[in-house]
Amino acid sequence: ESENTTIAHNTAFNNSASGVSLYNSSNITISKNNASYNSQNGIFLNESDENNLLNNTLNFNQEAGAKILSSDQNNLTGNYAI
């Protein structure tokens, strides 16, 4: 649970879950990260509102590049996922 935070310029590779996860968080900016080859998702938001996912690389994750559940008013811009 967090708010008004920035997560930027990180690498999250080969994790047993998601590379970056937010739960019950708001006003978080996740930008210019590389979250790839994870066992679940590159970025996972659950019950998290009004966040910005900007210019992230989210390649070859087993479930999804970005997975968003029960979350409102999130902005996804310039992300890249294969």
Side-chain angles (χ1 to χ4, degrees):
E1 183 173 327
S2 296
E3 56 185 57
N4 303 317
T5 303
T6 298
I7 300 169
H9 302 284
N10 296 286
T11 300
F13 272 21
N14 295 318
N15 291 288
S16 60
S18 296
V20 177
S21 297
L22 299 181
Y23 178 74
N24 195 26
S25 299
S26 62
N27 296 308
I28 308 295
T29 297
I30 302 173
S31 68
K32 298 180 182 174
N33 298 287
N34 189 339
S36 300
Y37 297 96
N38 296 294
S39 294
Q40 294 179 358
N41 308 288
I43 298 173
F44 178 54
L45 277 60
N46 189 1
E47 297 182 19
S48 296
D49 302 327
E50 299 177 0
N51 300 292
N52 293 296
L53 281 63
L54 310 171
N55 303 309
N56 297 287
T57 301
L58 311 168
N59 292 328
F60 304 108
N61 294 290
Q62 300 232 340
E63 291 185 21
K67 185 173 184 176
I68 301 172
L69 298 176
S70 303
S71 302
D72 296 316
Q73 298 179 342
N74 292 289
N75 173 39
L76 283 73
T77 303
N79 299 289
Y80 183 77
I82 297 176

